[in-house]
Amino acid sequence: MDAKKGRTQKLAYRTLGSSDVKVSEVCLGTMTFGVQNNEKEAFELLDFAFEKGVNFIDTAEMYPVPPTEETQGFSERIVGAWIKSRNVRDKIVLATKVTGYGTAKGYVNKTRGLGDTLCARLDKKSILAACEASLKRLQVDCIDLYQIHWPDRYI
């Protein structure tokens, strides 16, 4: 709300890169969904943002933070449940991220269906497996923006 004028300002939108996709200047990050915010609270936040015009939602296979084997993927599951329950897939731009080598232990590869290997990697097999696992958790058939969360730092 504009305190000086007593009215709500309209949310602005930008073109995403060189695409024709329009995203709200405000992107709702979900790294707390599943631990610091339960599903009910997350739905309330998602509903509020969506009602205000936010169409850009960001999550990651590692979320929520801090990452643990027990909670890894909860944020994507919550976002997916919200998308499905509100039937808004065609009204949002969905971003998620693949985890590279680092603090991610072998449990990330378990959720990718790759077994309990030492650490996550950003090779073709791992990225494809991570993307498929995210699609399942998100309950969608397409991710609009798929990003590398951090590089393979062993290089």
Side-chain angles (χ1 to χ4, degrees), residues 48-63:
F48 180 83
F50 186 74
E51 289 165 8
K52 298 298 180 190
V54 174
N55 74 338
F56 196 11
I57 299 171
D58 176 70
T59 191
E61 73 170 331
M62 279 304 298
Y63 292 166

Side-chain angles (χ1 to χ4, degrees), residues 89-103:
R89 180 61 190 101
D90 62 335
K91 296 178 179 85
I92 63 161
V93 178
L94 182 59
T96 194
K97 299 177 279 300
V98 59
T99 299
Y101 181 87
T103 60

Side-chain angles (χ1 to χ4, degrees), residues 4-5 7 17 37 43 47 52 58 65 73 84 86 95 112 118 124 126 149-150 155:
K4 291 181 183 175
K5 297 177 183 160
R7 62 180 181 214
N37 299 101
F43 274 39
D47 286 340
K52 298 298 180 190
D58 176 70
V65 294
K84 187 174 182 177
R86 302 305 192 259
R112 293 177 180 174
L118 184 59
K124 180 179 179 179
S126 297
H149 210 151
W150 60 77
I155 297 174

Side-chain angles (χ1 to χ4, degrees), residues 105-119 125 129:
K105 305 300 180 202
Y107 64 83
V108 173
N109 285 327
K110 280 188 208 175
T111 65
R112 293 177 180 174
L114 298 176
D116 192 10
T117 56
L118 184 59
C119 283
K125 180 180 177 181

Side-chain angles (χ1 to χ4, degrees), residues 6-152:
R7 62 180 181 214
T8 303
Q9 294 179 337
K10 189 171 183 176
L11 192 59
Y13 296 84
R14 304 261 177 179
T15 302
L16 183 62
S18 60
S19 74
D20 60 352
V21 176
K22 298 288 186 190
V23 295
S24 52
E25 284 187 337
V26 174
C27 177
L28 180 63
T30 64
M31 73 181 197
T32 63
F33 292 5
V35 174
Q36 297 165 29
N37 299 101
N38 63 34
E39 183 174 270
K40 180 182 181 295
E41 293 166 337
F43 274 39
E44 289 171 359
L45 290 167
L46 286 157
D47 286 340
F48 180 83
F50 186 74
E51 289 165 8
K52 298 298 180 190
V54 174
N55 74 338
F56 196 11
I57 299 171
D58 176 70
T59 191
E61 73 170 331
M62 279 304 298
Y63 292 166
V65 294
T68 69
E69 183 170 2
E70 296 74 32
T71 63
Q72 189 254 321
F74 280 13
S75 294
E76 285 186 331
R77 284 187 191 95
I78 290 170
V79 170
W82 178 80
I83 291 169
K84 187 174 182 177
S85 73
R86 302 305 192 259
N87 194 28
V88 294
R89 180 61 190 101
D90 62 335
K91 296 178 179 85
I92 63 161
V93 178
L94 182 59
T96 194
K97 299 177 279 300
V98 59
T99 299
Y101 181 87
T103 60
K105 305 300 180 202
Y107 64 83
V108 173
N109 285 327
K110 280 188 208 175
T111 65
R112 293 177 180 174
L114 298 176
D116 192 10
T117 56
L118 184 59
C119 283
R121 293 281 193 231
L122 292 175
D123 56 29
K124 180 179 179 179
K125 180 180 177 181
S126 297
I127 292 170
L128 289 172
C131 185
E132 287 299 324
S134 288
L135 287 166
K136 286 178 187 168
R137 284 188 294 268
L138 290 162
Q139 303 178 60
V140 297
D141 60 2
C142 177
I143 296 165
D144 300 309
L145 178 61
Y146 196 58
Q147 306 163 91
I148 295 173
H149 210 151
W150 60 77
D152 275 357

